[in-house]
Amino acid sequence: MAGILAWFWNERFWLPHNVTWADLKNTDEATFPQAEDLYLACPLAFCIFMIRLVFERFIARPCAMGLKIQTNGPQKAQPNAILEKVFTAITKHPDEKRLEGLSKQLDWDVRTIQRWFRQRRNQEKPSTLARFCESMWRFTFYLYIFTYGVNIYSPLTVDIHYYYILELSFYLSLLFSQFTDIRRKDFLIMFLHHVATISLIVFSYVNNMARVGTLVMCLHDAADVLIEAAKMANYAKCQILCNLLFAMFAILFISSRLGVYPIWILNTTLFESWEIIGPYPSWWVFNLLLIMLQLLHSFWSYLIVKTACRAISKGKVGKWNPLHVSKDDRSDIESSSDEDDSPPPNQKHHTSATNGTNKNHGTNGYLMGAPYPDEH
């Protein structure tokens, strides 16, 4: 183990050529980041996750109930063993050929089967209440950490240590909770973002680039506060407030991540630091991660502009909602809309039995016209 740690913390990778770990030991005159400080982030990430569960249950949920946010989820699909087997074992989006085969097998209209799959996909989506609780947790954390980060932006102090460890712990908790949170279409992109963010926090801390790291984190947290607030307003059906917050978010996001970030931060880390300390292996990795983050910023800025333009064009008459647009456009900004599950036209109704059931029941022993029971 000692050999692995020695290889991992190789000075020639992490530090400039004329610097050693001994030069970064804390003294009475100066304080430097210590790599071992970051070990605390892993258990703290678990604590943050548990705090989140308590927060959502005892603070966010009562707030949502007070705002009369609905607790029920999407309408459940009618239980059917054959369709359920296809959904879970083969595909959630059957093609035309498979739909026709299922239609003949079940004696159901193709549109009815399409509707069943839409409703079944929607069953896996959380309710508006769950979405509100998640957004309120993130809003609260981002607001706190942004305020704290702005107040302690200074040379390395104990507060900077605390700020770094807390941010790293939070993003570690997001990385793992992403598998249990609301599933969005940008899952892989967000996973890449979390990995890049965690790596940047670690590299900037170990390389004694804490001021750059603090700036990057504050820059991101500022816009995140507004988008989570806009989501909460959307779930609470406060349309005017939602529109205002989204507009503020879009302006701040684009100006900070396409303006301040590349012109101020990237310029400093890429060009000014080259002249001061010169490149070394971890310097290249650190700047490549910063550039990767800039590419993600550009992609998300495009999505924000596209979402806003599409929402405005769809709402030329009456109100528009930037966080509630068509299912093709909502992914990275917000995925609160369920798929359309309105009854299809010309739906066939059958009373005959199939698949070995008796005449009083529909397919697999369930009443065709009965209300959809709760999922067990």
Side-chain angles (χ1 to χ4, degrees):
M1 179 61 71
I4 295 176
L5 289 176
W7 170 82
F8 182 80
W9 294 114
N10 189 296
E11 294 175 344
R12 298 287 60 84
F13 173 80
W14 289 97
L15 303 176
H17 297 297
N18 58 342
V19 180
T20 65
W21 291 121
D23 298 327
L24 298 180
K25 292 295 183 181
N26 291 331
T27 64
D28 295 336
E29 293 78 21
T31 302
F32 299 97
Q34 303 299 310
E36 56 269 20
D37 296 339
L38 300 180
Y39 294 154
L40 182 61
C42 290
L44 188 58
F46 176 76
C47 294
I48 288 178
F49 181 76
M50 298 306 297
I51 292 172
R52 171 189 171 176
L53 296 180
V54 173
F55 179 91
E56 291 184 357
R57 176 65 180 86
F58 296 103
I59 298 178
R61 186 180 179 89
C63 290
M65 301 297 289
L67 293 171
K68 302 187 185 318
I69 293 177
Q70 61 183 11
T71 59
N72 59 307
Q75 186 179 24
K76 295 183 181 297
Q78 178 182 359
N80 184 286
I82 295 176
L83 296 181
E84 184 67 26
K85 182 178 180 179
V86 173
F87 183 88
T88 56
I90 302 177
T91 178
K92 297 181 180 180
H93 299 271
D95 56 21
E96 183 177 351
K97 182 178 179 180
R98 190 177 298 277
L99 287 172
E100 291 176 355
L102 290 171
S103 176
K104 294 177 181 178
Q105 183 179 2
L106 298 175
D107 195 24
W108 282 19
D109 186 274
V110 171
R111 295 293 298 276
T112 303
I113 297 175
Q114 288 177 326
R115 183 189 179 209
W116 188 95
F117 275 93
R118 283 197 299 269
Q119 292 178 336
R120 183 62 183 84
R121 289 193 295 267
N122 285 337
Q123 278 183 215
E124 298 187 342
K125 297 181 180 180
S127 65
T128 303
L129 176 66
R131 299 174 190 272
F132 178 90
C133 291
E134 178 187 331
S135 290
M136 187 172 180
W137 159 250
R138 296 193 181 198
F139 167 80
T140 303
F141 181 86
Y142 287 136
L143 181 61
Y144 164 74
I145 204 67
F146 171 71
T147 305
Y148 185 83
V150 170
N151 289 334
I152 54 88
Y153 181 66
S154 61
L156 190 65
T157 62
V158 174
D159 290 329
I160 293 288
H161 286 287
Y162 172 75
Y163 179 68
Y164 254 84
I165 292 172
L166 193 57
E167 283 274 21
L168 179 58
S169 302
F170 178 72
Y171 278 102
L172 282 172
S173 70
L174 284 185
L175 181 67
F176 295 113
S177 65
Q178 189 180 5
F179 295 92
T180 59
D181 280 345
I182 300 166
R183 184 84 175 203
R184 295 184 173 88
K185 291 193 294 183
D186 64 337
F187 176 87
L188 291 178
I189 295 177
M190 285 305 300
F191 186 84
L192 177 64
H193 172 268
H194 294 333
V195 170
T197 302
I198 291 169
S199 301
L200 282 168
I201 292 174
V202 172
F203 271 83
S204 63
Y205 191 80
V206 175
N207 281 331
N208 196 25
M209 295 185 178
R211 290 176 67 84
V212 173
T214 302
L215 270 176
V216 172
M217 290 187 287
C218 284
L219 200 67
H220 284 70
D221 294 336
D224 291 337
V225 170
L226 292 175
I227 189 58
E228 298 301 336
K231 290 180 184 179
M232 290 192 294
N234 181 46
Y235 301 144
K237 303 186 185 304
C238 299
Q239 191 56 53
I240 296 178
L241 180 60
C242 173
N243 296 343
L244 176 63
L245 289 170
F246 182 84
M248 294 171 59
F249 160 76
I251 293 171
L252 180 59
F253 186 99
I254 295 173
S255 62
S256 62
R257 303 195 189 190
L258 296 186
V260 175
Y261 181 84
I263 295 173
W264 186 9
I265 297 177
L266 278 183
N267 179 64
T268 299
T269 60
L270 279 173
F271 303 109
E272 295 181 9
S273 66
W274 181 294
E275 297 177 357
I276 297 173
I277 60 176
Y280 49 97
S282 66
W283 181 94
W284 286 107
V285 176
F286 181 65
N287 281 284
L288 284 174
L289 289 170
L290 289 174
I291 293 173
M292 181 191 301
L293 207 55
Q294 180 60 53
L295 295 176
L296 291 174
H297 293 166
S298 301
F299 173 72
W300 280 318
S301 297
Y302 161 76
L303 288 177
I304 291 170
V305 173
K306 179 183 176 182
T307 299
C309 292
R310 183 64 61 88
I312 294 173
S313 65
K314 286 180 178 292
K316 288 181 179 178
V317 180
K319 66 182 182 179
W320 69 282
N321 185 344
L323 297 183
H324 189 88
V325 292
S326 69
K327 64 183 179 181
D328 295 327
D329 300 316
R330 68 174 192 262
S331 67
D332 307 278
I333 309 305
E334 175 54 24
S335 58
S336 62
S337 306
D338 292 330
E339 296 182 62
D340 179 23
D341 61 354
S342 58
N346 302 322
Q347 177 176 331
K348 293 181 182 179
H349 295 281
H350 301 278
T351 57
S352 60
T354 59
N355 298 315
T357 57
N358 61 49
K359 294 184 179 180
N360 295 326
H361 293 76
T363 304
N364 298 308
Y366 291 100
L367 291 173
M368 294 291 293
Y372 300 154
D374 293 336
E375 183 182 16
H376 298 292

